[in-house]
Amino acid sequence: MGTVLLAGAGAANLLEKLNTFFGGDFPVWALCSGGICVLVGLVGRLSQKPTYGELLDKHDDAVVISTDRAKAINSMIKVLIFDISTELAVYQSGMRTSFYCHSNEEFMLLSRVSSSPELQKFGRLTYPEKQGSIWKAWDEGETVITGFPEAREAWESKLVEEHGFSRAEVAGMSMQSRSLMAIRVDKLDGTPIGVLVIESVSARGVNSTHLDRIRGLPAWRILVACLATATDHFPAVAHALRSETTTRPVRHRST
């Protein structure tokens, strides 16, 4: 507005000088029409909407920021569950530790550590509610299961008959966990956040002793505190995990 007023004052001064120069015969309408064109152009520029390319650039920037933040949260969780695993002496062959968050009636894998590269791979990334030890820990606060069958067929049958899995689901599981503990992570106000699961291929590789010790670990208390402040970003972390091996086409930014 200040610029427009200043321009108006300048135009009035210019008009006076032009009238003097032309002996009072200067065509005022020419200056007025020019001024109108300038004002119309100014209003048009100010009201111009961003182009489609500019909107895409802003979207891409937002995606990059969100992805970077999600990766940072994932790294934080990984470091803390690694510390928990080493303190409990479960960071060894045949064992793994995973953290699942709860969202939209399912549990989503956010991070996993294991000394075995094969067991650290991300297989199934989500589990529905009311299925397996994750749900039991979510519902009851904690659970410990030991002594699962060694024979694969008997192991699969137990999961189907007692833990709510289908035959197709258990057939696709790569790790044959024979013992595990799962503990729910809660905010300070008691609101559930997710579930930490420690599994072993040995019948008593994980037992109630691990459950008794975990709450006294400094890394556990830090994990709970950090997760309580990051819950809004859990879906983005899970999405970033899904996209980790996906190659996305490169789009040239608009100029």
Side-chain angles (χ1 to χ4, degrees):
M1 180 61 71
T3 302
V4 172
L5 292 175
L6 182 62
N13 184 49
L14 176 63
L15 178 60
E16 182 181 352
K17 291 182 178 180
L18 289 173
N19 270 323
T20 302
F21 181 79
F22 284 100
D25 297 327
F26 180 74
V28 178
W29 61 267
L31 183 61
C32 292
S33 61
I36 292 172
C37 291
V38 171
L39 287 175
V40 170
L42 178 62
V43 172
R45 178 58 182 172
L46 292 176
S47 62
Q48 184 183 32
K49 295 181 179 179
T51 66
Y52 179 68
E54 289 172 339
L55 290 174
L56 280 179
D57 289 342
K58 290 181 179 180
H59 173 267
D60 287 350
D61 290 341
V63 169
V64 169
I65 293 172
S66 177
T67 301
D68 289 344
R69 185 181 294 117
K71 289 180 178 179
I73 294 173
N74 176 271
S75 297
M76 174 198 71
I77 298 173
K78 182 171 289 188
V79 168
L80 290 170
I81 64 176
F82 170 78
D83 286 347
I84 290 172
S85 301
T86 53
E87 288 290 330
L88 294 177
V90 297
Y91 187 75
Q92 53 184 286
S93 178
M95 307 181 83
R96 75 181 179 193
T97 303
S98 309
F99 175 74
Y100 296 84
C101 74
H102 182 267
S103 179
N104 297 325
E105 299 184 347
E106 67 178 3
F107 297 98
M108 302 185 297
L109 177 64
L110 292 193
S111 194
R112 168 173 289 162
V113 298
S114 174
S115 65
S116 168
E118 189 64 29
L119 295 183
Q120 186 165 295
K121 289 181 180 178
F122 305 124
R124 185 177 180 181
L125 296 177
T126 61
Y127 286 88
E129 288 184 344
K130 300 182 179 179
Q131 188 181 72
S133 58
I134 302 176
W135 166 254
K136 186 174 177 64
W138 178 260
D139 187 46
E140 301 177 5
E142 60 188 42
T143 187
V144 177
I145 303 174
T146 59
F148 271 99
E150 183 176 4
R152 179 75 188 199
E153 184 176 351
W155 178 81
E156 292 185 2
S157 296
K158 189 174 183 68
L159 289 179
V160 171
E161 296 165 6
E162 300 181 17
H163 297 275
F165 292 98
S166 68
R167 285 287 178 183
E169 288 172 331
V170 296
M173 294 181 182
S174 57
M175 182 177 182
Q176 186 177 334
S177 303
R178 299 187 60 209
S179 62
L180 62 86
M181 62 145 282
I183 180 172
R184 190 178 66 209
V185 180
D186 297 333
K187 291 185 178 180
L188 294 178
D189 63 1
T191 304
I193 299 174
V195 177
L196 184 75
V197 182
I198 302 177
E199 307 166 83
S200 173
V201 297
S202 300
R204 290 193 58 80
V206 182
N207 52 61
S208 57
T209 302
H210 297 97
L211 187 60
D212 295 337
R213 292 180 54 202
I214 192 169
R215 288 192 176 92
L217 299 178
W220 169 259
R221 293 193 291 270
I222 297 172
L223 177 69
V224 173
C226 290
L227 291 176
T229 63
T231 53
D232 291 343
H233 302 293
F234 284 172
V237 177
H239 178 74
L241 195 64
R242 288 183 175 91
S243 305
E244 200 168 73
T245 57
T246 302
T247 302
R248 300 180 64 183
V250 176
R251 184 182 67 81
H252 295 289
R253 298 175 65 89
S254 62
T255 56

